[in-house]
Amino acid sequence: MNDYLLIDKPYDLASGKKRSTIYLIAYAISESYFHNNFVPQSKLVNRSWVYNEDGSYVTLSGYWYNPNFYSITENYFVVEEINGVSISTDQVYAHLKKLCEEYLDRENIEHGQGVVFFGDRISLGYEYPILDSKSEAHLSQNQNVFNYFEILRYAFASSIAYSQESNKYPFEHNAIYKELMLDDSTHQLEIVDEMNGNTNDSRIWAVAIKVPAVERLQLKEEIIIAFKGSTNTKDLIEDAKLTIQNFFEFNRDWQKETFNFCNRVVQKFPPSNTSIERGYKHYNGEHSIVFTGHSLGGYTAIENAMRLGIKSRTFSSPATKIVNSYLDTFSNSLFLNNSINFVRRNDPVVFASGRHNENMVYYPSSGGIPLNNHYLNAFITEIIEPLATSKDVDGNVSPTNIYLSPIATLGSGLDLPVNIWR
């Protein structure tokens, strides 16, 4: 392919949009166990251009949200034709997925867990979300797209993951915590599974909690899997390893043990299709499942969300970049549509850990010592709880920056699709 090829057509007089043609890129996600062998993170995802059966590239024709060649962020491509043939809005996604799967099957590329695709106009360029015209029309023009009661629930769950080791529950007397997290009849946490860090090689603590439906707040029952973050020297060493995980793979035991825990819960409580990112294998269950965690726990949640396609909503996670070859460390890698990372500005763990490939929402810094911006309990009391419980909030708690893809997976705190990258 010509590395700098961009095919432009004349303006469509009806829509006023400048027409272009781009190419299709597929990310094949392997099942985490393939032929009974655990697949490590570096081998899990395979990126490739998609070819037709005759050896030609699959082409997508349509228009850009912003047609300027230098427009990179906050841009997407709306497909109207595939391989030069017009296609109805309702068929765009299904047909592209079919083309990806057929190509991967011909090339014997494993994609048992799913296929996610993007578009690009040059082989060295940024990769863009692909939309149909109906999806574009549904994009919200309002930045207030978050359900902070749901987000607060995940933050509380992340705090509970720490409590599994410390046996201290800092929010146990908080009224909204009781309403969001405790079983209506027993007034206790309903823990359906847990992972004890004292009994596994990776020293990871995790908990699966069934939280009740809250009619007053229009919240449904959920299964939340929360991973504990860093609290001691050994945990900080793991954080440091994650920072260089983008270059050299560490801790396959950690990957395997946390996946086994998540998969065990998923088998007990099969997730609904709305819990799964589009393109991933469906379980056709009835349970709403979300992964969460803070810091190291957030990274663990995102990594497992990528493996299973289940949504993750995390707090102050280090960067998560999934590569299929360490030669590709600085090239494009799978953008994680199903993950949103909520962070505070000037958090050194977030800023110093590398390239983030998940959706991000930034909130004001606490000021003072930068590391103070990393603490979960302060994040909850100073930012998330006020946003959930107060009708009038000011810029001291509102997001300072939002980076949300127009194809970010909806639900679990994200109510509406939106295209914001600023």
Side-chain angles (χ1 to χ4, degrees):
M1 178 188 295
N2 185 336
D3 282 351
Y4 299 96
L5 180 61
L6 173 65
I7 305 170
D8 281 339
K9 295 183 179 180
Y11 280 91
D12 184 317
L13 297 180
S15 65
K17 301 285 188 179
K18 186 178 182 182
R19 294 178 57 78
S20 295
T21 296
I22 65 170
Y23 305 97
L24 182 62
I25 298 167
Y27 283 91
I29 298 97
S30 170
E31 292 186 306
S32 288
Y33 280 92
F34 187 63
H35 294 162
N36 296 320
N37 294 314
F38 182 75
V39 181
Q41 186 185 98
S42 63
K43 304 298 182 184
L44 197 74
V45 179
N46 192 308
R47 175 188 182 274
S48 58
W49 297 95
V50 180
Y51 295 82
N52 294 303
E53 195 168 1
D54 63 6
S56 63
Y57 289 102
V58 171
T59 58
L60 314 178
S61 298
Y63 58 87
W64 294 98
Y65 167 68
N66 185 340
N68 291 318
F69 190 81
Y70 58 79
S71 178
I72 297 177
T73 59
E74 203 171 8
N75 206 1
Y76 56 79
F77 191 81
V78 178
V79 172
E80 297 177 313
E81 297 178 358
I82 298 175
N83 287 326
V85 178
S86 296
I87 188 165
S88 67
T89 295
D90 294 337
Q91 294 298 314
V92 168
Y93 177 80
H95 192 63
L96 290 177
K97 185 171 185 286
K98 181 173 180 287
L99 287 171
C100 290
E101 291 173 339
E102 289 175 346
Y103 167 72
L104 295 171
D105 288 339
R106 289 196 303 271
E107 297 297 315
N108 294 316
I109 298 173
E110 155 65 5
H111 58 95
Q113 198 65 43
V115 178
V116 180
F117 52 79
F118 298 87
D120 200 353
R121 45 189 164 186
I122 57 175
S123 63
L124 301 178
Y126 188 83
E127 295 171 2
Y128 298 88
I130 295 172
L131 278 69
D132 56 61
S133 58
K134 184 180 294 186
S135 298
E136 182 188 35
H138 288 161
L139 290 175
S140 174
Q141 302 304 308
N142 191 330
Q143 294 189 20
N144 298 321
V145 295
F146 301 111
N147 183 327
Y148 279 104
F149 280 109
E150 288 185 318
I151 296 167
L152 179 59
R153 180 179 257 182
Y154 309 138
F156 281 146
S158 297
S159 175
I160 291 167
Y162 284 100
S163 303
Q164 294 304 102
E165 181 182 28
S166 68
N167 204 31
K168 297 177 181 178
Y169 294 81
F171 297 100
E172 62 182 338
H173 301 300
N174 180 304
I176 192 66
Y177 168 88
K178 294 178 181 179
E179 184 177 17
L180 294 180
M181 306 305 293
L182 303 187
D183 180 85
D184 292 334
S185 56
T186 66
H187 304 292
Q188 300 291 322
L189 283 171
E190 187 175 354
I191 295 175
V192 298
D193 206 340
E194 54 190 324
M195 184 177 179
N196 189 317
N198 290 329
T199 61
N200 60 70
D201 293 337
S202 55
R203 294 184 54 80
I204 291 289
W205 293 78
V207 60
I209 310 165
K210 181 187 286 187
V211 293
V214 181
E215 185 175 354
R216 178 181 76 86
L217 301 174
Q218 298 182 324
L219 300 181
K220 57 189 175 184
E221 178 184 282
E222 287 185 297
I223 304 294
I224 304 175
I225 299 177
F227 292 94
K228 171 188 160 292
S230 307
T231 55
N232 53 50
T233 303
K234 289 184 178 180
D235 290 340
L236 293 174
I237 292 172
E238 296 304 316
D239 277 334
K241 288 180 178 180
L242 293 180
T243 300
I244 55 177
Q245 175 87 358
N246 295 342
F247 300 92
F248 302 101
E249 188 158 47
F250 286 95
N251 282 345
R252 293 192 180 191
D253 286 343
W254 157 76
Q255 296 178 40
K256 184 176 181 179
E257 289 174 350
T258 58
F259 170 78
N260 288 344
F261 174 71
C262 290
N263 195 47
R264 188 170 74 212
V265 176
V266 165
Q267 297 307 314
K268 289 181 185 176
F269 303 94
S272 64
N273 293 345
T274 56
S275 294
I276 306 294
E277 181 185 347
R278 191 167 68 170
Y280 275 77
K281 179 176 70 176
H282 283 176
Y283 293 84
N284 299 315
E286 299 179 351
H287 300 278
S288 176
I289 299 184
V290 180
F291 295 165
T292 193
H294 169 258
S295 189
L296 172 63
Y299 185 103
T300 309
I302 293 173
E303 204 265 349
N304 282 284
M306 181 273 303
R307 287 180 175 276
L308 290 163
I310 291 173
K311 287 175 285 188
S312 71
R313 303 293 184 253
T314 59
F315 305 91
S316 308
S317 170
T320 310
K321 179 177 167 64
I322 311 300
V323 296
N324 64 316
S325 167
Y326 289 109
L327 295 175
D328 297 333
T329 294
F330 297 102
S331 64
N332 290 325
S333 59
L334 175 63
F335 188 84
L336 306 173
N337 295 315
N338 59 338
S339 295
I340 304 177
N341 191 13
F342 301 94
V343 306
R344 297 188 77 165
R345 296 206 62 81
N346 301 326
D347 180 340
V349 174
V350 173
F351 279 82
S353 55
R355 173 179 169 179
H356 287 265
N357 269 23
E358 72 276 14
N359 297 281
M360 304 279 290
V361 184
Y362 288 82
Y363 295 89
S365 167
S366 63
I369 300 173
L371 194 57
N372 288 344
N373 294 299
H374 190 65
Y375 296 136
L376 176 62
N377 290 350
F379 198 173
I380 292 173
T381 57
E382 295 173 8
I383 301 290
I384 303 171
E385 187 173 0
L387 284 167
T389 59
S390 302
K391 292 183 179 179
D392 298 314
V393 294
D394 56 29
N396 292 326
V397 296
S398 297
T400 60
N401 301 88
I402 299 175
Y403 303 100
L404 285 176
S405 165
I407 55 175
T409 310
L410 295 179
S412 305
L414 180 62
D415 285 345
L416 297 169
V418 67
N419 182 47
I420 306 175
W421 208 261
R422 56 183 179 270

